[in-house]
Every structure is written in structure tokens, then in C-alpha cells.
Amino acid sequence: MKVLLVDDHPLILSALKAVIQGLGDDVTVVGAGSAAAARATLKSDADFDLVLLDLQLGDANGFDLLAELRNAYPALPVVVVSASDRTSDVIRSIDMGAMGFVPKRASNDTLFEALRLVMSGGIYVPPMTMGIDGGGSAAPVAEPDTVPGYMKVIGSQAAKSDYQTTPTLAALGLTPRQTDVLALLLQGKPNKLIARDLNLSVETIKDHVAAVLRALGVNSRTQAVLAVSQMTQQAGGLTSTWRLGNR
């Protein structure tokens, strides 16, 4: 596995490289101390399996770089590893296409398991209190066919939805087709691509997406990603977290 680690703090960069290399002898970690260095590295060699991205970079906004990487390298998974663990930052990162968010204060074991989960096709987010935090609302995201134009931090909607106490995904009562739609939705695919993959009309997919959101008790795709992650973590920890494509 080849990992690009983007962090502008030399000591943290060195420490994270050592930790990630502990995943196995076949793991290669390349460090980039700036957004410019990350761009140059990927331009010269795009053959990476994973990017770990710090949000606080000296030469760029981490969210801007995340959006840039997702647009330029859509098949390359990005995991945010940040000193921040604000709910709004987690939501915004997942909303913009990150496959995981790991706070830097997390244990090495948590980081290992989160990375293994992402590399197996899952999405990892840390356990959170789904309310408005000190960061306020998440910033707008320009993906009209994938998420609402303006993300709303969950707040009272999450409190009313009660999804955090749902024991298992099976208890949602989704049909096999709705389960297929949920799996593709969690991959961040817009309705048009889901329709193409399942050989259904876009209107039919919209109906299935609406049914899935109702079953989860949420109002947006990002909330659905977080709801599934929270439910599966409560049901059995990281190793049993929903893997995309499972039925």
C-alpha cells in the first residue's frame, strides 16, 4: 500500500509516517509538507492507494485541497487526519467526499482500524454528539446533485430522528433494492450514476433515496453517511462497520 501523508508540521509528519508504516512491511509512506508539495507529488506519481490530509496547512485551506483532490483523482480515497474533532468539520469533510475522518488524538489502534476500513471500501467517522458545536454551521458545498447546496448541521433534527439508538441496519427494513441504493449513496454517487449502475430511471432512484432517508430518520445524504457509521459503531465497533456493497 502506498500512502501520501499531507501535513505541514515536521514532527507530526514524522510521527504519523512511523505509525502508518506500522500497518505492515508492504506499506510505503510519502510525506508532503504543503499543499504545493502534495500537488507536485501526485503530478509526478499518481500511483497512490490513499491520501491522509491535515486540514490546517500553511499554504492552502485543507477543505479546498480536499475538493481539489476529489475532483482530480476521484478514485483515490482521502482520509482527513485533523487536530480538530468538531462535528461541523467531520460533516463537511464527509460531505466533500472524504472516506474518513480521524482526530489526531485518536489511538494508534483506532487509526489502524479506520485505515483498514477505508481500504476495504468503508467510511469511518468518529463517534460524535450530533448537535451544533462551537464551529457553527458547515460551509456551503457546490454539489447540487449529491448533497444539498447548503449543509445544515444536524442539531434538533438529529435529536428527533433517534437514529443513534437504532441497533442494526437490518432493523431499518430496507428492501434489497433500497439496500443497493444505500450502498451506492454511501459511495457519494449522484442519482444519475446510481440509476446507471442499477439500470433504473433517475426518478425511480429519487424515490428509493427518499425512502432510505426516511428509514434512517435523516434529511440529507451526508446525514445518512453519519447515521450508518454511528449505528454500526454502536452495534459492534470499527470492525463491523458497514462496508460499501455489503448486502
Side-chain angles (χ1 to χ4, degrees):
M1 182 170 70
K2 193 173 179 181
V3 180
L4 176 61
L5 176 57
V6 187
D7 194 304
D8 66 352
H9 296 85
L11 290 178
I12 295 177
L13 187 65
S14 178
L16 280 174
K17 285 177 69 173
V19 169
I20 296 166
Q21 284 170 337
L23 284 168
D25 295 335
D26 60 342
V27 177
T28 300
V29 183
V30 176
S34 66
R39 294 187 190 101
T41 299
L42 287 169
K43 186 176 181 179
S44 63
D45 178 13
D47 188 26
F48 282 86
D49 300 298
L50 180 69
V51 173
L52 269 63
L53 173 65
D54 184 16
L55 292 177
Q56 300 297 323
L57 299 173
D59 64 338
N61 179 289
F63 288 115
D64 291 343
L65 183 57
L66 172 59
E68 183 180 327
L69 294 176
R70 297 303 300 134
N71 287 331
Y73 308 96
L76 179 60
V78 179
V79 173
V80 171
V81 180
S82 176
S84 168
D85 60 358
R86 295 184 304 176
T87 298
S88 57
D89 286 342
V90 177
I91 292 173
R92 187 178 178 189
S93 297
I94 300 300
D95 199 35
M96 295 179 69
M99 295 296 289
F101 189 108
V102 182
K104 287 184 177 178
R105 62 178 176 77
S107 68
N108 290 354
D109 287 344
T110 296
L111 178 60
F112 288 162
E113 291 301 319
L115 296 184
R116 290 191 182 102
L117 175 63
V118 169
M119 293 309 297
S120 69
I123 295 176
Y124 174 75
V125 295
M128 294 176 294
T129 300
M130 304 304 292
I132 297 177
D133 59 17
S137 298
V141 179
E143 291 183 283
D145 195 32
T146 305
V147 294
Y150 289 87
M151 263 302 300
K152 297 179 180 179
V153 178
I154 295 172
S156 61
Q157 296 175 358
K160 294 175 183 177
S161 73
D162 209 26
Y163 67 72
Q164 295 186 68
T165 61
T166 304
T168 64
L169 284 165
L172 295 175
L174 299 179
T175 67
R177 182 59 77 194
Q178 289 168 353
T179 302
D180 291 338
V181 170
L182 175 58
L184 295 172
L185 182 153
L186 292 178
Q187 293 179 33
K189 291 189 175 184
N191 289 344
K192 290 180 181 178
L193 290 184
I194 296 176
R196 185 195 309 170
D197 288 351
L198 298 180
N199 196 27
L200 296 172
S201 70
V202 173
E203 291 303 316
T204 298
I205 294 303
K206 288 181 179 179
D207 291 340
H208 284 314
V209 169
V212 167
L213 297 184
R214 283 197 302 271
L216 288 168
V218 298
N219 298 299
S220 76
R221 292 165 180 258
T222 300
Q223 292 179 19
V225 170
L226 298 176
V228 169
S229 181
Q230 295 283 13
M231 286 190 297
T232 50
Q233 284 175 23
Q234 289 181 357
L238 285 172
T239 55
S240 65
T241 301
W242 175 265
R243 281 169 169 73
L244 303 181
N246 280 6
R247 303 290 189 268

